[in-house]
Amino acid sequence: MQETADKYSVQDAFQGSSVLITGATGYVGSLVLEQLLRVGHISKAYLLVRTKQGEDPQQRLRSLLASPIFRLHDCTQINTKLQIIHGDLSKPGCGISTADETQLKSHVQYVVHSAASIRFDNPVHTDLKLSYMATKALADMATGMQRLRCFMYVSTAYANAHSDLKVAVEQLYPLQDANGVLLDHAAITQHLLSLCPEQAQLEVEKIKQQHNSHQNTYGFCKNLTEQLMGSYHMQPYPVCISRPTGVGAVAKTPCPGYIGNSAAATAMILSIACGLGTVSSMPKGMAQHIVPGDMASSVILASMAATAAGQGCQTSPNITLADGFCSTPLSMGELVSFTCDYFRNDPPSQFQFGDGQYAVRWTTDIKEYDEWCRTEDLRVQQLCQKLREQGLPKAAARESFDCSS
């Protein structure tokens, strides 16, 4: 089908194309890669991968392809379409070599930038370097990509947690102070990075207060990065931004029920499953915005195809929200109730620290909640020790990370 401004095909958009993906070994990035190979019929995927926890990029790719989400593929066949680009977002220029950069500039038609730390409590210096500065390095490099059709930045639905914002529509929301003065994203980033880490942490809290922002550091830096990408739109290439909510398990294809991380609602469900989650301080009626992983990746690819076909606003990036709440509204109380009922009937076979009752107590008493957190920290340490004793050091490190974030 011929692409036009009012009609486009996701399959046709990606057919035979070359795509650069960051975060391909992460959850959302891996689903995007799988779908591009299965549905998009791409010619080449360049995967920016770093060495992590003693595993080099090749080992990490082999582990990824052995996971259930690639069960529908002949890995020997798709390996010919995959090329690792050694890099690291924390390094200048994302650690990409001159030779690799030259190759990318000659061949890449789409960029999917989904790599990110999902910790909410990183020091602001860490998040600015991994989010804002790394994205700027990629965006600058993309200006030299001769065949680029669009640049997709994967943000978050929580990049716009402003105190006076009741409804966030699909547009950019620069932070502004009480007098309506906009925050200069580039200037504030440079200012914060010029300070020592301790001073920067104090300064960012002051800035958030001045600009009516109740975001954590993760959301604050995502907001700045969205503003950054807005400045690249159509100068010289189209930009699109996807804002997923809490990414949950895969709903349908390629592997129903598969989960690729232990964050957001998934972390809460797993904590209840192993008996760690027994107290909650969140309101029962609070909406739970969860999007299935395959829906999040589908939204990303559809947005890219539409942007490449010239659809949407030409003066600002195409922005899409990925959320399952509209089709399946769910409150915190309902989610906890469903989770407890499920595990009462089908309890896990190991790593159970509770009494088997699967009951969550709701409290607004901060002291009670803090005491519960201290108790659960000890249980998490016991769980990590068990994992290490069973020869699963990476699982232990991941569990420790997820429970602390």
Side-chain angles (χ1 to χ4, degrees):
M1 179 170 63
Q2 182 66 35
E3 294 179 10
T4 65
D6 60 352
K7 192 175 185 181
Y8 68 96
S9 160
V10 173
Q11 286 187 326
D12 288 354
F14 292 103
Q15 178 80 36
S17 66
S18 296
V19 185
L20 169 63
I21 306 175
T22 73
T25 56
Y27 185 31
V28 173
S30 65
L31 291 172
V32 169
L33 172 61
E34 189 280 331
Q35 201 164 355
L36 280 171
L37 291 167
R38 176 170 46 84
V39 180
H41 306 297
I42 59 173
S43 173
K44 177 74 74 174
Y46 297 99
L47 312 178
L48 184 65
V49 186
R50 66 186 172 100
T51 297
K52 182 180 180 182
Q53 294 179 357
E55 280 192 337
D56 65 28
Q58 291 289 353
Q59 290 173 309
R60 296 183 68 194
L61 178 59
R62 284 195 294 271
S63 297
L64 174 66
L65 297 181
S67 69
I69 61 170
F70 286 91
R71 67 191 182 93
L72 302 178
H73 298 266
D74 179 342
C75 289
T76 302
Q77 186 178 38
I78 65 172
N79 251 323
T80 61
K81 295 185 175 186
L82 306 180
Q83 180 175 331
I84 286 178
I85 300 295
H86 292 256
D88 189 330
L89 295 185
S90 66
K91 296 180 178 178
C94 296
I96 300 173
S97 71
T98 302
D100 283 340
E101 182 175 338
T102 300
Q103 184 179 19
L104 294 174
K105 286 181 176 180
S106 298
H107 298 289
V108 168
Q109 292 160 279
Y110 295 93
V111 174
V112 184
H113 181 31
S114 66
S117 167
I118 57 173
R119 291 194 70 151
F120 292 164
D121 58 351
N122 275 333
V124 67
H125 271 196
T126 300
D127 272 346
L128 283 175
K129 290 174 183 177
L130 294 178
S131 183
Y132 189 97
M133 297 305 295
T135 302
K136 186 177 187 306
L138 280 174
D140 285 343
M141 183 178 70
T143 61
M145 291 179 179
Q146 305 159 13
R147 306 171 62 198
L148 188 63
R149 302 189 66 193
C150 81
F151 187 117
M152 161 59 75
Y153 172 60
V154 181
S155 183
T156 173
Y158 308 108
N160 304 291
H162 312 334
S163 59
D164 57 348
L165 193 62
K166 303 302 180 185
V167 177
V169 298
E170 293 166 321
Q171 67 180 51
L172 294 175
Y173 286 97
L175 294 174
Q176 53 186 316
D177 63 19
N179 298 317
V181 178
L182 298 182
L183 182 69
D184 184 324
H185 59 86
I188 199 61
T189 299
Q190 184 177 8
H191 171 60
L192 289 171
L193 289 175
S194 71
L195 302 174
C196 72
E198 294 76 14
Q199 285 180 313
Q201 208 61 44
L202 295 173
E203 183 71 7
V204 75
E205 294 305 321
K206 187 189 302 181
I207 292 169
K208 288 193 291 183
Q209 185 176 11
Q210 291 170 345
H211 292 80
N212 301 316
S213 172
H214 292 283
Q215 297 158 301
N216 50 38
T217 304
Y218 169 79
F220 178 79
C221 293
K222 283 286 191 180
N223 180 281
L224 294 180
T225 309
E226 283 196 3
Q227 312 313 314
L228 168 71
M229 289 312 304
S231 69
Y232 283 88
H233 181 60
M234 305 308 291
Q235 299 183 31
Y237 48 77
V239 171
C240 48
I241 297 172
S242 181
R243 292 174 178 164
T245 54
V247 182
V250 171
K252 294 183 179 179
T253 310
C255 185
Y258 176 84
I259 53 174
N261 63 23
S262 305
T266 301
M268 186 203 70
I269 292 169
L270 293 177
S271 70
I272 292 174
C274 61
L276 297 174
T278 57
V279 176
S280 177
S281 62
M282 291 183 282
K284 281 187 177 183
M286 185 175 70
Q288 282 299 290
H289 292 270
I290 306 171
V291 59
D294 48 335
M295 181 185 293
S297 62
S298 293
V299 167
I300 288 170
L301 296 183
S303 177
M304 293 174 68
T307 300
Q311 288 205 344
C313 180
Q314 298 302 301
T315 58
S316 62
N318 281 339
I319 300 176
T320 50
L321 174 71
D323 186 19
F325 184 80
C326 295
S327 57
T328 313
L330 192 66
S331 70
M332 172 60 74
E334 290 171 328
L335 178 60
V336 168
S337 178
F338 294 153
T339 301
C340 290
D341 287 346
Y342 177 86
F343 287 113
R344 285 192 199 102
N345 294 323
D346 190 9
S349 59
Q350 56 182 336
F351 305 131
Q352 172 51 246
F353 290 88
D355 55 11
Q357 298 301 307
Y358 296 101
V360 173
R361 187 171 72 259
W362 303 86
T363 182
T364 57
D365 187 324
I366 298 301
K367 289 184 178 179
E368 180 184 14
Y369 187 71
D370 285 346
E371 179 58 34
W372 171 80
C373 287
R374 283 190 289 272
T375 301
E376 298 314 300
D377 282 344
L378 294 175
R379 293 187 178 186
V380 169
Q381 291 175 24
Q382 294 172 14
L383 172 57
C384 292
Q385 181 59 34
K386 280 191 175 183
L387 290 169
R388 282 189 287 267
E389 289 172 355
Q390 293 191 8
L392 300 169
K394 286 196 294 183
R398 185 166 58 245
E399 184 67 27
S400 178
F401 166 85
D402 292 330
C403 292
S404 65
S405 59

